[in-house]
Amino acid sequence: MALMKIRAGIVLSLCLGLGSCGSDDGGGGSCPAQPASDEANCSVTGTCPALVISGEAPATNPGTFKGYADPSIAADPLVPGRLWLAYSWPHVIGGQNPQGDAVQLAAVQNRLARSDNNGQTFSFVQVLWPDVAAADPEGSGENGRFSSETASLVTMTVAGITTWYGAHLRYFLRPQTGYNPKYGTSWHVRIGAASTPASLANATETVLGVSTTANAYQPDVRLDQLAGLPIQHCAMLNNPTLFVQSTTLYLIVECLAFVGPIPDYGNTTTQVFATNPVGAPTSWTWRYAGKLGDAQLAGDLGNDTIRQPDVSRAGDGTLIALITPAHIDAASPTGTVGDGCVALELESIDPPALARDCSGNPIVRARINGNGVGACTHDPASATGIIATSQGPSGGNWALRPSGVDP
């Protein structure tokens, strides 16, 4: 997710105004040449314009914790020219700590916009998953908020019936000034199904967590166990994205690794899970499909770690993964800074495997550049090309920027 802090105890005072040819699985096959990739600079000082959403505006609170982030775009198979865009809407809202002192919480909600002209313009539709005041379900006695961010939208049509699926992160935000979720115990992924994107707001959802996710959230599956990973190597789930192929729904998600409270980038991975989504979401049976990326892929891309996956198809139908390479930056509130995103050609999603050129390098179909740029999304039907998230030089003030680049 574009907004998460993975180092405990950091207050967002600034933002508050306070090897071989073939695929990764070792298969053979042809040895493709590295194609020339399209590029764009989508930083604040780059050439990608900020997306304007009619009827919508960033929050008006002081500081930089506001704007639009974490986009997910999907074409509507039932209405030609229609696209749906889900995104994060960060803002600051007042609260009260257990001592009765006023605090300013950095909260996030997901919103929904629509285009009826192939992505040339967008209009605000509704709040999709709001942030809401809530008592800590784990029984701490704190009254904070449930926040929601990093949405993903996809569709599946089976026997003439189209179903929309939506994923998002949900967590309890503690009543402290800044961005202070209960990371280890409340951080989880929720996925629902509905007949329209707007009706996902009230859909029944399955809850996916890890071994340390509190029972109060009633997780249906603990993904670290399903993948056979030690909890230290999948201590938190992050940046969920969905993809549909035939009748299978895939969840692509980061498994964040830690050594105590310290991020362990060497063992952080991007993993893929799959289900046949028949019946109520809580009844879906999930299986582990495999690992999509890790520190080795980050090194192949000349960086320290990878974040914010998105899976789509290029204009020619080739399967692609959009990934944000990032460098470690101790001064950053998140501990890392995105350096744009790359569209990598996939050999397969199940099992997940990257295509590689004759030198063993990942095949880059397109590249979005810019310091502080990442969290990209793509749909081949959209005139926007890849949409990237940028942040201001002091952090925050997030914006969505259509690049016009089509992988």
Side-chain angles (χ1 to χ4, degrees):
M1 81 191 163
L3 312 180
M4 192 195 92
K5 270 201 297 302
I6 55 176
R7 292 186 287 118
I10 299 176
V11 176
L12 289 182
S13 57
L14 175 64
C15 288
L16 296 178
L18 322 168
S20 61
C21 297
S23 65
D24 276 357
D25 60 1
S30 62
C31 196
Q34 185 73 238
S37 61
D38 291 333
E39 297 191 19
N41 186 325
C42 288
S43 65
V44 173
T45 58
T47 58
C48 306
L51 182 70
V52 175
I53 302 175
S54 176
E56 168 71 299
T60 58
N61 51 260
T64 62
F65 197 83
K66 54 192 174 186
Y68 311 141
D70 305 329
S72 176
I73 191 168
D76 193 321
L78 301 180
V79 183
R82 177 169 291 177
L83 292 143
W84 296 91
L85 178 69
Y87 53 97
S88 294
W89 193 80
H91 64 119
V92 177
I93 188 166
Q96 190 177 71
N97 68 17
Q99 292 73 44
D101 303 318
V103 292
Q104 298 294 311
L105 285 71
V108 189
Q109 60 182 233
N110 291 122
R111 295 191 169 194
L112 183 68
R114 189 183 76 203
S115 172
D116 287 320
N117 54 14
N118 298 295
Q120 296 179 61
T121 60
F122 286 85
S123 299
F124 175 71
V125 176
Q126 68 180 62
V127 175
L128 189 57
W129 293 298
D131 60 290
V132 295
D136 183 0
E138 298 178 49
S140 69
E142 294 181 322
N143 292 306
R145 299 188 77 80
F146 282 127
S147 265
S148 180
E149 58 185 90
T150 317
S152 180
L153 301 175
V154 295
T155 64
M156 180 188 297
T157 300
V158 178
I161 298 175
T162 296
T163 302
W164 284 86
Y165 299 93
H168 59 121
L169 283 170
R170 197 74 162 162
Y171 53 84
F172 180 71
L173 193 66
R174 302 185 64 192
Q176 301 174 5
T177 291
Y179 181 79
N180 295 286
K182 293 188 76 172
Y183 290 112
T185 56
S186 80
W187 205 265
H188 62 277
V189 173
R190 305 179 74 92
I191 305 175
S195 59
T196 67
S199 54
L200 285 167
N202 301 308
T204 300
E205 297 175 315
T206 184
V207 176
L208 308 179
V210 296
S211 293
T212 53
T213 304
N215 289 332
Y217 297 98
Q218 300 180 310
D220 298 304
V221 182
R222 299 183 187 269
L223 295 183
D224 60 317
Q225 298 176 17
L226 189 59
L229 295 170
I231 186 61
Q232 296 89 345
H233 293 175
C234 194
M236 287 175 56
L237 304 174
N238 197 28
N239 290 319
T241 192
L242 299 176
F243 179 71
V244 165
Q245 184 167 266
S246 185
T247 59
T248 302
L249 176 68
Y250 293 94
L251 169 68
I252 302 95
V253 66
E254 295 171 27
C255 271
L256 301 184
F258 288 83
V259 177
I262 308 301
D264 177 6
Y265 299 110
N267 286 304
T268 289
T269 55
T270 299
Q271 302 285 350
V272 181
F273 302 87
T275 187
N276 181 15
V278 175
T282 53
S283 71
W284 296 345
T285 298
W286 290 87
R287 62 179 173 83
Y288 177 54
K291 180 175 66 175
L292 177 62
D294 54 16
Q296 179 180 342
L297 176 57
D300 290 342
L301 298 173
N303 231 310
D304 298 323
T305 190
I306 54 173
R307 309 185 317 188
Q308 301 160 331
D310 187 87
V311 175
S312 177
R313 289 194 181 274
D316 64 3
T318 301
L319 194 63
I320 58 170
L322 290 169
I323 290 173
T324 298
H327 64 271
I328 297 170
D329 184 350
S332 167
T334 63
T336 64
V337 174
D339 294 308
C341 66
V342 292
L344 303 177
E345 190 169 313
L346 288 178
E347 187 78 21
S348 166
I349 188 64
D350 194 357
L354 293 172
R356 293 185 177 266
D357 66 14
C358 294
S359 299
N361 299 311
I363 297 177
V364 178
R365 298 281 297 239
R367 187 182 297 272
I368 307 301
N369 300 312
N371 184 263
V373 173
C376 294
T377 188
H378 171 261
D379 190 289
S382 180
T384 59
I386 295 171
I387 301 176
T389 305
S390 72
Q391 60 177 309
S394 298
N397 281 330
W398 292 275
L400 304 182
R401 298 185 179 274
S403 68
V405 172
D406 286 305

